[in-house]
Amino acid sequence: MQHVLSARQFDQAAIADIFERTDFMQERLASAEGRRQLAVSHLGEVAATLFYEPSTRTRLSFESAAARLGMGIISTENAKEYSSSIKGESLEDSIRTVSAYAGVIIMRHGDEDSSERAAAVSPVPVINAGAGKGEHPTQSLLDLYTIRQETGRSQDLRVVIGGDLAHGRTARSLAQLLSLYPNNHLTFVSTSELQMGQDILDHLEERGTTYDQTDDMFSAIREADVIYWTRLQKERLADQSLVSAFSINQAALQVMKPEAVIMHPLPRNHEIEASVDTDPRAKYFDQVQNGLVVRMALLDMLTA
Ligand code: NCD
């Protein structure tokens, strides 16, 4: 693995390797001795986080992951304003520069092709930490890791993916990862304006993954093993009058299977009510925990 650019680059074997490394990180983090060993495992290496778009979890989890592996960290949040981007420097020139200072570059950017462009000029590994409306491959890895942890499998799943699927990059990357495994069925819940992109639907067809699309949340979630909910991407939406028609609330909990898993990449707005958080099926804060260990595994593998 040279870069992490798209969920499409992975096969089952690559994911198995990443999750094995993730399990190892989890086990090491559980003891003080393990944490000490990890903290000297990458001494002398430097990770750079270059974020042109806002982030809480992704940037801080990568920085925490790097810190726990003993790496130095250089960072520019709000790179759009606080890096030389504002002076008109191209992404390519910024990457050439940062690659002189760091052995791995973790980047979030508003353009769908940003991570490919960065990788094309970077002598060091580039990790796509969110590229416009395109992809968010490390989020989909932690999502799949969480699904596997909670259901015990990656296949034979009925997964409902709902919300703003036209602009949400996490849903796009997760759908692609799930299509690697046999007998998963995806149900996309959204309004007609916010439907999953045709490129992803075509990809599912190529892989033989069945799917359907609906705006009826209640009927969709009834049989679901996993309910993956996402936020309306207000900042990417031309028509601000569209409001999320889909709220996971107490009534929705009533119709879900007792062993269903409720997930969300976060941040959430009103699409999952706070009262759902105490339901044992709510796993979105477990996803946050898993984000740290999956990203430790990725950094470890890319800088080995
Ligand atoms: C998401 C993102 O930035 O794509 N957040 C995340 O990384 N967990 C989801 C979002 O912005 O809605």
Side-chain angles (χ1 to χ4, degrees):
M1 186 163 53
Q2 202 199 340
H3 304 285
V4 177
L5 305 179
S6 161
R8 215 168 277 209
Q9 79 188 67
F10 299 114
D11 58 17
Q12 284 193 25
I15 291 172
D17 281 349
I18 294 166
F19 288 176
E20 199 178 306
R21 229 356 41 193
T22 305
D23 291 340
F24 169 84
M25 294 297 169
Q26 191 98 59
E27 184 214 304
R28 287 296 150 101
L29 280 182
S31 74
E33 179 50 28
R35 288 193 293 277
R36 268 193 296 274
Q37 284 173 12
L38 289 175
V40 294
S41 65
H42 289 266
L43 284 179
E45 291 174 33
V46 176
T49 51
L50 188 58
F51 275 55
Y52 295 82
E53 284 193 337
S55 170
T56 300
R57 274 152 293 273
T58 306
R59 188 170 66 88
L60 292 178
S61 66
F62 266 115
E63 293 184 1
S64 178
R68 287 169 185 276
L69 293 169
M71 296 182 179
I73 298 151
I74 58 173
S75 178
T76 165
E77 64 173 322
N78 197 358
K80 215 165 162 178
E81 282 180 45
Y82 297 153
S83 78
S84 286
S85 164
I86 194 102
K87 303 180 189 170
E89 182 168 69
S90 71
L91 176 63
E92 283 81 358
D93 284 359
S94 295
I95 293 293
R96 288 186 184 103
T97 303
V98 175
S99 68
Y101 310 143
V104 54
I105 299 174
I106 301 135
M107 188 182 75
R108 170 170 287 190
H109 193 282
D111 294 344
E112 279 82 78
D113 63 352
S114 51
S115 55
E116 281 80 10
R117 281 171 52 203
V121 298
S122 178
V124 303
V126 171
I127 300 178
N128 174 2
K133 302 190 290 285
E135 284 228 41
H136 194 348
T138 69
Q139 176 72 42
S140 63
L141 288 168
L142 76 90
D143 292 338
L144 184 64
Y145 186 80
T146 307
I147 290 172
R148 197 192 66 147
Q149 184 174 61
E150 298 302 328
T151 67
R153 62 192 197 275
S154 311
Q155 59 185 58
D156 305 319
L157 291 163
R158 293 187 72 88
V159 181
V160 172
I161 301 182
D164 182 355
L165 309 178
H167 305 94
R169 54 197 172 202
T170 66
R172 291 170 52 82
S173 290
L174 180 59
Q176 294 181 81
L177 278 197
L178 288 167
S179 74
L180 282 172
Y181 299 88
N183 202 29
N184 286 332
H185 179 83
L186 309 187
T187 298
F188 297 113
V189 179
S190 72
T191 63
S192 56
E193 298 90 338
L194 301 178
Q195 277 178 7
M196 180 55 83
Q198 191 59 45
D199 59 332
I200 300 293
L201 300 179
D202 290 344
H203 185 69
L204 297 179
E205 261 160 50
E206 274 164 36
R207 290 238 176 107
T209 302
T210 57
Y211 68 85
D212 59 287
Q213 306 184 80
T214 176
D215 60 6
D216 182 353
M217 177 186 87
F218 273 90
S219 69
I221 62 179
R222 240 169 253 279
E223 295 301 319
D225 301 304
V226 176
I227 294 135
Y228 188 90
W229 229 233
T230 63
R231 147 185 101 82
L232 192 70
Q233 302 277 306
K234 285 178 288 200
E235 71 276 31
R236 303 187 204 286
L237 212 59
D239 181 0
Q240 293 286 326
S241 69
L242 280 170
V243 288
S244 178
F246 315 107
S247 177
I248 305 275
N249 52 23
Q250 292 299 319
L253 287 179
Q254 294 296 321
V255 305
M256 288 177 195
K257 296 205 290 195
E259 70 278 18
V261 182
I262 307 168
M263 297 174 61
H264 193 300
L266 303 178
R268 74 170 143 180
N269 292 325
H270 305 293
E271 66 279 0
I272 299 186
E273 284 186 4
S275 72
V276 172
D277 298 359
T278 50
D279 190 283
R281 292 168 287 187
K283 298 294 176 191
Y284 24 95
F285 292 107
D286 298 72
Q287 286 169 264
V288 172
Q289 294 283 335
N290 287 337
L292 173 69
V293 271
V294 167
R295 287 169 174 141
M296 287 176 74
L298 290 171
L299 287 177
D300 183 47
M301 293 167 87
L302 284 168
T303 59

